[in-house]
Amino acid sequence: MNTPLLHVTEHGLYCEAGGFHIDPTRHVERALITHAHADHARPGSRSYLAPPTGAVILRARYGQHLKVQPLPFGEQLNLNGVTVSFHPAGHILGSAQIRVEHRGEVWVVSGDYKTERDAACEAFEPVPCHTFITESTFALPVFKWQPQAEIFSEINSWWLANQSAGRTSVVFAYALGKAQRVLAGVDASIGPIFLHPDARTYLAAYQAARVPLPEAPGATPENVAAARGRALVIAPRSVTRTPWLEKFAPFTTAFASGWMHPDSPMKRPGTDAGFALSDHADWDGILATIRATGAERVLATHGFTGQLVRWLKLNGWDAAELPSQPEPRDKKQMELFA
Ligand SMILES: [Zn+2]
Ligand SMILES: [Zn+2]
């Protein structure tokens, strides 16, 4: 039997014909990166290929010395006779699906993706292919997102209500992607917005990509106190019960994540409120994407793979779970990227 165009090795997803890995889990010669979240991009490989906006974020995350070659969205590159290109995944700024073509056979690796357009990243585009490797983070029929305009108006109302009570509003959002999306989406006329330093690490990359963001200085006990309960603080959930956060008392917390969906089977974190704002496709978004690619074969990875594969097989697709890649260190960590 021929080696498939892409297969999982102990270093992650590998293209033998092209001599490259996609989102490798260990150090490799040449790494093609879908996006800069830590469960997809790791330092230590000899060379990296990423879309230009993704390359800037990779360097902001892992250091300016990282050897990253930018490849603009839609542009093709030949690697040992295999044609590769990046296409927007709509997940975070610079996130890509990776198209791999060899002798007329086309595979697309989705990385993480979101079908709803958002102001903080490039818009998702379905890419025609024979085999589609799809993420499945929220691949259960219960996951159906509200339009983000509704979610942002809920966040704005919650912020206003906290202001009336004289309490600072703290939104937990992953430092790369979600934090900037929340910043771009809330109504900045309500009050001052302050950011955790981890989220500020990526601001220059967003500004360079001309994502319109309101002013958001670093959160300090002084500027939060001076705002007397009117401020919105955006910080990663890892600050829960840390001295950094406790200095902002009195405050109210909320978590912005797809896991906050009312029918989510995952345990809720201990926040006062939750907003189901996800950077991943919901069930309908995943199915619509699979149809739009025209793929006859679907390989599911990352999340509720079994449920998605079962549904696809019942509905006429050739589908399978991608043989397991090393899991992120723990499921908790996975939640943070959602
Ligand atoms: Zn991600
Ligand atoms: Zn991911």
Side-chain angles (χ1 to χ4, degrees):
M1 216 180 91
N2 288 340
T3 315
L5 187 50
L6 293 166
H7 69 279
V8 176
T9 69
E10 59 173 358
H11 289 75
L13 198 57
Y14 182 52
C15 178
E16 195 174 292
F20 59 85
H21 289 80
I22 294 179
D23 293 351
T25 49
R26 301 185 190 186
H27 303 175
V28 298
E29 280 297 309
R30 188 189 275 279
L32 274 60
I33 300 295
T34 62
H35 65 290
H37 278 156
D39 57 333
H40 296 262
R42 298 159 181 91
S45 285
R46 193 175 293 274
S47 75
Y48 295 83
L49 196 64
T53 41
V56 173
I57 293 179
L58 276 173
R59 288 208 191 91
R61 171 157 220 156
Y62 293 126
Q64 296 303 321
H65 62 279
L66 203 75
K67 208 178 144 213
V68 196
Q69 180 190 346
L71 178 66
F73 282 117
E75 222 164 83
Q76 297 190 329
L77 183 72
N78 187 307
L79 298 174
N80 304 318
V82 175
T83 304
V84 299
S85 52
F86 292 119
H87 304 270
H91 172 60
I92 63 167
L93 182 66
S95 63
Q97 307 172 75
I98 301 180
R99 182 184 184 275
V100 180
E101 179 178 2
H102 186 53
R103 295 180 180 155
E105 187 185 350
V106 179
W107 289 47
V108 168
V109 178
S110 76
D112 293 338
Y113 65 100
K114 168 170 94 280
T115 50
E116 191 182 17
R117 180 80 221 252
D118 97 59
C121 71
E122 301 91 350
F124 174 84
E125 290 168 14
V127 183
C129 58
H130 303 108
T131 299
F132 184 50
I133 300 182
T134 182
E135 64 126 326
S136 324
T137 308
F138 290 106
L140 289 181
V142 293
F143 289 112
K144 189 172 171 53
W145 309 141
Q146 273 176 272
Q148 64 191 325
E150 290 176 18
I151 298 171
F152 279 115
S153 93
E154 286 174 14
I155 296 175
N156 291 335
S157 307
W158 170 81
W159 183 8
L160 283 164
N162 296 336
Q163 282 189 345
S164 323
R167 276 197 302 268
T168 299
S169 303
V170 179
V171 173
F172 296 139
Y174 186 66
L176 168 57
K178 187 65 64 65
Q180 295 79 16
R181 184 179 175 200
V182 169
L183 179 59
V186 292
D187 179 357
S189 71
I190 294 174
I193 305 174
F194 302 123
L195 279 187
H196 185 274
D198 288 356
R200 284 183 57 79
T201 305
Y202 304 106
L203 277 189
Y206 277 76
Q207 278 151 0
R210 299 178 194 283
V211 174
L213 296 175
E215 278 294 300
T220 65
E222 294 72 32
N223 58 19
V224 170
R228 291 192 303 276
R230 293 181 57 255
L232 177 72
V233 175
I234 304 173
R237 200 177 60 167
S238 56
V239 303
T240 307
R241 282 184 286 278
T242 60
W244 185 87
L245 182 63
E246 296 307 324
K247 285 179 191 138
F248 303 150
F251 56 79
T252 300
T253 58
F255 187 32
S257 163
W259 297 115
M260 297 311 289
H261 188 280
D263 301 321
S264 169
M266 309 294 272
K267 230 178 107 204
R268 306 277 194 93
T271 53
D272 304 315
F275 302 106
L277 183 73
S278 178
D279 288 337
H280 295 262
D282 63 6
W283 174 252
D284 289 344
I286 292 170
L287 298 186
T289 299
I290 290 169
R291 290 193 181 96
T293 63
E296 54 238 23
R297 196 155 71 103
V298 177
L299 300 175
T301 182
H302 204 117
F304 294 104
T305 50
Q307 287 85 341
L308 179 61
V309 166
R310 208 169 309 131
W311 189 94
L312 289 169
K313 281 179 158 173
L314 281 171
N315 288 276
W317 272 272
D318 174 5
E321 293 179 54
L322 193 68
S324 64
Q325 289 172 285
E327 278 278 313
R329 258 159 289 151
D330 60 75
K331 286 267 174 188
K332 266 244 160 66
Q333 193 191 350
M334 244 176 71
E335 280 183 50
L336 298 176
F337 302 109

